[in-house]
């Protein structure tokens, strides 16, 4: 190392537990480093994952945030499901039939879904001046192709608002991956429609 070289560093943050039934998140964070050095670390990580047969998928930072509507270029689609049994069937089918994998349980804000809240019983925060709904734990699933996220916001009665959004980082203009995401979405939407018809909701 020369005296003229600048100090550069980054850190890798990852989940503390590994389970083959769910995703394992790895995040590269840095404050003092040039882009080429970070790119080298990312490429090294890609090579190591490929060496051990691991599928590394890029995901946007807002996929782990409370608010799903942060990105104006990736507006989620919301589907209200007002029957607990339908939500249970959907959650089971996501991993068993549609090839989704459990991502994580994120705290989510039902207040950003004002148009969908009718008929749902999300708990009101009694300490809030305007009686805003409390943040609720929401299970999130990622398709194994990395193209689609599904988040389930369940209310106190087990009903849920289903939030579906694309992983644009993974698709990155790939027409084949985009078509794959469309097919998955259509299949999931059809499943929800049929289950709701059976339940009469």
């Amino acid at each position: 190392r020369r005296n003229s070289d600048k100090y550069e560093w980054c850190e890798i943050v990852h989940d503390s537990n590994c389970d083959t039934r769910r995703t394992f998140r790895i995040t590269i964070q840095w404050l003092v480093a040039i882009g080429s050095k970070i790119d080298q670390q990312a490429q090294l990580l890609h090579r190591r994952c490929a060496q051990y047969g691991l599928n590394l998928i890029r995901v946007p930072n807002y996929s782990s945030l409370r608010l799903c509507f942060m990105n104006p270029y990736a507006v989620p689609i919301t589907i209200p499901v007002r029957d607990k049994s339908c939500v249970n069937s959907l959650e089971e089918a996501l991993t068993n039939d549609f090839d989704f994998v459990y991502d994580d349980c994120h705290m989510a804000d039902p207040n950003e879904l004002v148009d969908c809240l009718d008929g749902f019983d999300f708990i009101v925060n009694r300490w809030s001046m305007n009686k805003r709904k409390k943040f609720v734990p929401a299970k999130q699933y990622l398709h194994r192709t990395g193209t689609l996220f599904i988040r389930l916001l369940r209310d106190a009665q087990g009903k849920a608002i289903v939030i579906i959004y694309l992983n644009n980082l993974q698709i990155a203009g790939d027409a084949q991956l985009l078509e794959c995401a469309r097919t998955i979405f259509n299949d999931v939407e059809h499943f929800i429609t049929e289950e709701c018809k059976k339940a009469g909701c």
Side-chain angles (χ1 to χ4, degrees), residues 31-56:
L31 284 176
V32 183
I34 59 175
S36 60
K37 293 291 181 68
I38 299 301
D39 187 55
Q40 288 176 8
Q41 293 298 319
Q43 289 181 13
L44 175 62
L45 186 60
H46 269 279
R47 289 196 295 270
R48 289 296 170 89
C49 286
Q51 181 180 348
Y52 291 105
L54 301 174
N55 186 20
L56 194 63

Side-chain angles (χ1 to χ4, degrees), residues 109 111 123-135:
D109 185 5
N111 298 287
I123 299 171
V124 174
N125 184 356
R126 63 192 180 96
W127 303 111
S128 172
M129 293 296 291
N130 56 0
K131 297 298 182 184
R132 287 170 61 85
K133 309 293 183 183
K134 281 186 176 180
F135 288 114

Side-chain angles (χ1 to χ4, degrees), residues 115-168:
D115 297 336
C116 301
L117 291 179
D118 288 343
F120 288 94
D121 185 23
F122 290 105
I123 299 171
V124 174
N125 184 356
R126 63 192 180 96
W127 303 111
S128 172
M129 293 296 291
N130 56 0
K131 297 298 182 184
R132 287 170 61 85
K133 309 293 183 183
K134 281 186 176 180
F135 288 114
V136 295
K139 288 185 178 180
Q140 182 165 278
Y141 296 84
L142 173 64
H143 195 265
R144 289 186 183 274
T145 60
T147 56
L148 213 61
F149 285 97
I150 291 184
R151 186 178 289 195
L152 302 178
L153 273 71
R154 282 188 182 252
D155 70 355
Q157 300 174 7
K159 298 176 290 183
I161 298 175
V162 182
I163 302 175
I164 306 173
Y165 60 99
L166 288 173
N167 180 5
N168 288 324

